[in-house]
Amino acid sequence: MSATAAPPRVTIHDVARHAGVSHQTVSRVLNEHPSVAPTTRHRVLEAIQVLRYHPNLAARSLVTQRSGTLGIVGHGLPHYGPAQMMVNIEQAARSRGYSVTLASIPELREVEIERAIMELRRQNVDGMILITNLLGVDITRIQRLCGTVPFVLVDLPDSGTAAGATIDQEAGARLAAEHLIALGHERIALLLGPQRWHDARLRLDGWHSALKRANLSPVATLEGDWSAASGFGLTQELLAGRVPFTALLVSNDQMALGALWALHERGISVPDDVSIVGFDDIPESRFFHPPLTTVRQDFAALGALSLAALVKAIEEPDVPATPAVIQPELIVRASSARARS
């Protein structure tokens, strides 16, 4: 009894015949070439889906002298924001036919970033995306380490030739503070994320900017570590110090969750006695008690735009980089209300 023959492999020529175009046009679509008309691109992509065509990456690698692999340098993956960045970048990469390898950084230090870059270079990646968030990162040093390998920095503005995509953290923080100010709150305490993180520092800058414009100063400023436990502990510290406050601006939703529990334990009502605004809009935040007012970040757009910037740097190295800035959105829920007179 003979074994069942394997189905013939779908080729780029099969896709071309199905779409009614040349195989060169299919190749341009696969390589994201801008010269293809949108209607033609749609027909080719539809044919690829119908025929379940998978590019021969090994053959393409021989022609292009590329590995088809991108490297991601990441830190803080247990936290929601960095994890979402990584997941969405990986999905965007795979949709463009690239595989992904991750170099995780155990500590947010330049020496660890440098070690991760060299590890990825040894794997001959075509390009690198750095999700490092270290305040004051030395871009010139990173450029030297990357050599001829293109790279982009995620969520790090003012990165020059390494421009990828960024979410405007400072603008998001201003939205949060302006929301509380508009509700009549004047005694606002700040629960910060770790200040060696670039995003945490920008959120603090945004809060300060909005408060200063309203001729207000925070009644207290305490630094945490992104965890719910730190939000709980910092709020306990505020209450023990008898600092009068009617609202909390919190650097992320997990810390806001801890703050909610600390207030609940003391019999303090949210939002009747204290209003709280977080940052990130994690999926669970609308199920907090009460549902959390927060700032939403579009991580899917961040991943897609960062990946697009890297692919452009790989395929069009002489074209200047243009950073993409994504605006966050204030999501108003039940944890914030008008201040009591």
Side-chain angles (χ1 to χ4, degrees), residues 31-97:
N31 288 296
E32 299 284 340
H33 199 282
S35 67
V36 182
T39 54
T40 303
R41 186 183 302 276
H42 177 76
R43 287 208 318 275
V44 171
L45 292 175
E46 190 175 60
I48 288 171
Q49 185 174 9
V50 169
L51 298 176
R52 297 183 180 181
Y53 171 68
H54 299 285
N56 188 331
L57 296 180
R60 188 169 74 177
S61 177
L62 289 173
V63 174
T64 63
Q65 297 297 303
R66 296 176 187 159
S67 66
T69 301
L70 304 178
I72 301 179
V73 177
H75 172 73
L77 299 184
H79 300 298
Y80 178 77
Q84 284 298 302
M85 291 180 200
M86 211 285 288
V87 167
N88 282 283
I89 288 169
E90 182 180 28
Q91 289 175 348
R94 293 191 186 283
S95 74
R96 287 177 174 252

Side-chain angles (χ1 to χ4, degrees), residues 26-27 41 83 106 134 138 150 182 222 224 230 233 258 261 274 298 300 317 327 330:
V26 177
S27 179
R41 186 183 302 276
L134 178 64
D138 186 347
L222 299 173
S230 74
W261 184 248
V274 174
D298 191 342
Q327 293 302 316
L330 179 70

Side-chain angles (χ1 to χ4, degrees), residues 139-152:
I139 297 172
T140 302
R141 170 72 173 158
I142 288 175
Q143 288 173 326
R144 286 199 298 268
L145 289 170
C146 290
T148 59
V149 180
F151 72 97
V152 297

Side-chain angles (χ1 to χ4, degrees), residues 213-270:
R213 193 175 300 121
N215 294 316
L216 297 174
S217 297
V219 297
T221 301
L222 299 173
E223 182 177 343
D225 64 6
W226 299 127
S227 71
S230 74
F232 178 80
L234 295 179
T235 306
Q236 283 188 316
E237 187 177 334
L238 275 175
L239 295 170
R242 301 185 182 278
V243 177
F245 62 96
T246 65
L248 287 175
L249 284 166
V250 189
S251 203
N252 76 337
D253 290 352
Q254 283 94 344
M255 290 176 64
L257 175 61
L260 281 167
W261 184 248
L263 294 169
H264 173 76
E265 278 199 337
R266 291 286 294 269
I268 298 171
S269 174
V270 176

Side-chain angles (χ1 to χ4, degrees), residues 49-328:
Q49 185 174 9
V50 169
L51 298 176
R52 297 183 180 181
Y53 171 68
H54 299 285
N56 188 331
L57 296 180
R60 188 169 74 177
S61 177
L62 289 173
V63 174
T64 63
Q65 297 297 303
R66 296 176 187 159
S67 66
T69 301
L70 304 178
I72 301 179
V73 177
H75 172 73
L77 299 184
H79 300 298
Y80 178 77
Q84 284 298 302
M85 291 180 200
M86 211 285 288
V87 167
N88 282 283
I89 288 169
E90 182 180 28
Q91 289 175 348
R94 293 191 186 283
S95 74
R96 287 177 174 252
Y98 285 95
S99 60
V100 170
T101 184
L102 172 66
S104 182
I105 300 171
E107 294 181 62
L108 195 58
R109 296 188 299 145
E110 282 200 86
V111 64
E112 292 292 344
I113 297 171
E114 293 171 4
R115 178 197 58 76
I117 289 171
M118 298 312 297
E119 177 185 325
L120 291 174
R121 285 201 64 179
R122 285 193 292 272
Q123 297 180 49
N124 295 317
V125 296
D126 293 335
M128 288 182 256
I129 293 181
L130 279 64
I131 312 172
T132 58
N133 226 308
L134 178 64
L135 188 69
V137 63
D138 186 347
I139 297 172
T140 302
R141 170 72 173 158
I142 288 175
Q143 288 173 326
R144 286 199 298 268
L145 289 170
C146 290
T148 59
V149 180
F151 72 97
V152 297
L153 297 166
V154 175
D155 217 23
L156 193 66
D158 304 322
S159 52
T161 56
T166 182
I167 296 173
D168 194 334
Q169 305 290 322
E170 193 169 348
R174 283 198 303 271
L175 287 174
E178 287 166 356
H179 171 67
L180 290 176
I181 293 166
L183 290 172
H185 291 279
E186 297 181 351
R187 299 191 302 275
I188 302 173
L190 312 180
L191 302 188
L192 318 182
Q195 291 300 286
R196 71 182 186 280
W197 286 62
H198 195 265
D199 285 357
R201 182 65 65 86
L202 286 176
R203 291 172 198 178
L204 175 59
D205 291 344
W207 292 339
H208 277 161
S209 173
L211 291 170
K212 184 177 180 181
R213 193 175 300 121
N215 294 316
L216 297 174
S217 297
V219 297
T221 301
L222 299 173
E223 182 177 343
D225 64 6
W226 299 127
S227 71
S230 74
F232 178 80
L234 295 179
T235 306
Q236 283 188 316
E237 187 177 334
L238 275 175
L239 295 170
R242 301 185 182 278
V243 177
F245 62 96
T246 65
L248 287 175
L249 284 166
V250 189
S251 203
N252 76 337
D253 290 352
Q254 283 94 344
M255 290 176 64
L257 175 61
L260 281 167
W261 184 248
L263 294 169
H264 173 76
E265 278 199 337
R266 291 286 294 269
I268 298 171
S269 174
V270 176
D272 294 338
D273 300 320
V274 174
S275 288
I276 297 181
V277 180
F279 208 106
D280 280 341
D281 192 31
I282 64 174
E284 297 82 6
S285 62
R286 68 189 183 97
F287 300 108
F288 288 2
H289 182 68
L292 184 66
T293 296
T294 185
V295 176
R296 176 178 295 164
Q297 305 193 74
D298 191 342
F299 289 111
L302 182 70
L305 290 170
S306 297
L307 194 281
L310 180 59
V311 171
K312 184 174 182 179
I314 293 169
E315 298 180 355
E316 302 177 64
D318 297 326
V319 177
T322 303
V325 180
I326 302 165
Q327 293 302 316

